[in-house]
C-alpha cells in the first residue's frame, strides 16, 4: 500500500489488530522527534495527521484539533505530562543510540540505557507530549569461550 496516496477510507479499512493513535499538540514536531530519535518513517504528514511506520508496525498521530467532536478531547489534561502512564516500547531500537539522539533534540531522559533483569537493555525517553518512549533490545550474551 502506498501510504502517501491511499485514501483515508481505504487506509481505515486496511487496519487490523491493535491500533495506536497518539494525540499530540504539534504533529510536525512530533514527527521530527520520532524520525530523529528512533529512525521512524512518516507518511501523509500535515498539521493534523501523520502515519508513522516503525519496522512493519503502523500507528497514527492526530492533532488535538482533529478531535474537536470526540469525547476524548475533554479528558486531555491542560498541563503536561499528557501521556502519563503509557509506555510505548520499541523493541528493535538501540537504547544507547536513541538516548544520545534524544539528548540532541532536548528530550527528557527519564532513565538512561540500563540492562534490566528481564534480558533487555532499555531507556525511558519522555517526549514533549509526555509519552514515555522505551527503546530496547536484547542484552548481548557474554562469550562463553
Amino acid at each position: 500500500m502506498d501510504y502517501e496516496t491511499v485514501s483515508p477510507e481505504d487506509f481505515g479499512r486496511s487496519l487490523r489488530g491493535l491500533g495506536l493513535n497518539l494525540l499530540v499538540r504539534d504533529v510536525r514536531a512530533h514527527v521530527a522527534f520520532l524520525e530523529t530519535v528512533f529512525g521512524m518513517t512518516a507518511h501523509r504528514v500535515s498539521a493534523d495527521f501523520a502515519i508513522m511506520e516503525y519496522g512493519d508496525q503502523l500507528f497514527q498521530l492526530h492533532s488535538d484539533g482533529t478531535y474537536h467532536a470526540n469525547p476524548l478531547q475533554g479528558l486531555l489534561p491542560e498541563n503536561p505530562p499528557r501521556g502519563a502512564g503509557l509506555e510505548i516500547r520499541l523493541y528493535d531500537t538501540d537504547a544507547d543510540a536513541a538516548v544520545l539522539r534524544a539528548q540532541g533534540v532536548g528530550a527528557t531522559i527519564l532513565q538512561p540505557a540500563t540492562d534490566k533483569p528481564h534480558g533487555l537493555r532499555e531507556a525511558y525517553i519522555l517526549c514533549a507530549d509526555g509519552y514515555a518512549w522505551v527503546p530496547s533490545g536484547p542484552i548481548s550474551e557474554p562469550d562463553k569461550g
Side-chain angles (χ1 to χ4, degrees):
M1 176 178 301
D2 183 348
Y3 298 121
E4 297 300 334
T5 60
V6 64
S7 72
E9 296 83 8
D10 287 342
F11 178 68
R13 283 191 288 267
S14 75
L15 299 173
R16 298 287 182 272
L18 179 66
L20 180 64
N21 181 40
L22 299 180
L23 295 181
V24 298
R25 290 179 183 90
D26 184 331
V27 171
R28 287 187 173 102
H30 212 94
V31 164
F33 169 78
L34 295 173
E35 288 177 328
T36 300
V37 177
F38 304 114
M40 292 185 189
T41 303
H43 304 279
R44 303 289 291 255
V45 178
S46 72
D48 293 328
F49 175 76
I51 299 169
M52 299 305 302
E53 192 173 9
Y54 174 73
D56 62 356
Q57 306 288 313
L58 293 178
F59 66 95
Q60 301 170 67
L61 302 177
H62 278 87
S63 70
D64 291 346
T66 64
Y67 267 58
H68 60 85
N70 189 299
L72 185 60
Q73 179 71 18
L75 300 176
L76 292 175
E78 292 293 322
N79 297 308
R82 169 180 295 206
L86 175 66
E87 290 181 9
I88 303 166
R89 293 187 161 264
L90 305 172
Y91 293 115
D92 297 316
T93 301
D94 180 308
D96 295 280
V99 165
L100 289 175
R101 292 189 297 266
Q103 289 169 330
V105 297
T108 301
I109 309 303
L110 295 177
Q111 182 179 69
T114 305
D115 290 348
K116 299 293 183 125
H118 53 259
L120 295 174
R121 181 163 181 79
E122 61 189 31
Y124 281 75
I125 300 168
L126 194 65
C127 70
D129 282 294
Y131 298 108
W133 295 88
V134 185
S136 60
I139 298 170
S140 299
E141 289 192 35
D143 268 341
K144 309 251 184 195

